[in-house]
Amino acid sequence: MRILKTTDKVTFTCGDISVTASPLSYAKKSEVAAFYKPGKDGALEADSAAVSAFLVSHSVKVITGVKNMDDSDYALSFKADGSLSDESLDVVMTALTATRAVLVPVLKVAQQQLPTITNPENGEVLEGVSMSVQVSGQGKPPAPIGAF
């Protein structure tokens, strides 16, 4: 069984955009439970957009390939707790939504799952998307997991 530690970094690249994320701690993942409420039939329901925003806000560490209107590189900003600022969350969610191939894998990494790079609509492997993992404490550049 392979695991991702919260200090590991997983980078996804699709076209010009690369996003690096780390898994959430157990305590942060436990906070997701607050998004679930009993539905009409008694089953738990959650606002999937709010859950996605929380996971992305606390797991994304780096984004490259996103430019400001003056053509300078966009730099993420963070709150005191290490989560993305509201502006950066908006930018990242917009970029990830534009490259849907990367959004689902980032959400899986946030939950300590090593994803496969597949189309969420049909399960087929996506071409042009790659993933690499940098294991914490080894000081090595990311090792390619595979190009898809």
Side-chain angles (χ1 to χ4, degrees), residues 59-128:
S59 66
V60 170
K61 306 301 180 202
V62 177
I63 190 168
T64 59
V66 175
K67 301 277 187 185
N68 293 310
M69 290 304 291
D70 66 1
D71 210 33
S72 62
D73 291 332
Y74 179 78
L76 294 176
S77 59
F78 298 88
K79 296 178 184 176
D81 69 354
S83 65
L84 294 174
S85 69
D86 292 342
E87 175 192 273
S88 287
L89 176 61
D90 184 59
V91 168
V92 170
M93 291 299 287
T94 299
L96 292 180
T97 301
T99 56
R100 284 191 62 206
V102 177
L103 178 58
V104 172
V106 166
L107 296 176
K108 287 188 176 284
V109 167
Q111 299 172 68
Q112 284 183 296
Q113 300 171 20
L114 192 59
T116 56
I117 308 296
T118 57
N119 183 328
E121 295 174 8
N122 62 19
E124 293 178 6
V125 173
L126 290 170
E127 293 185 28

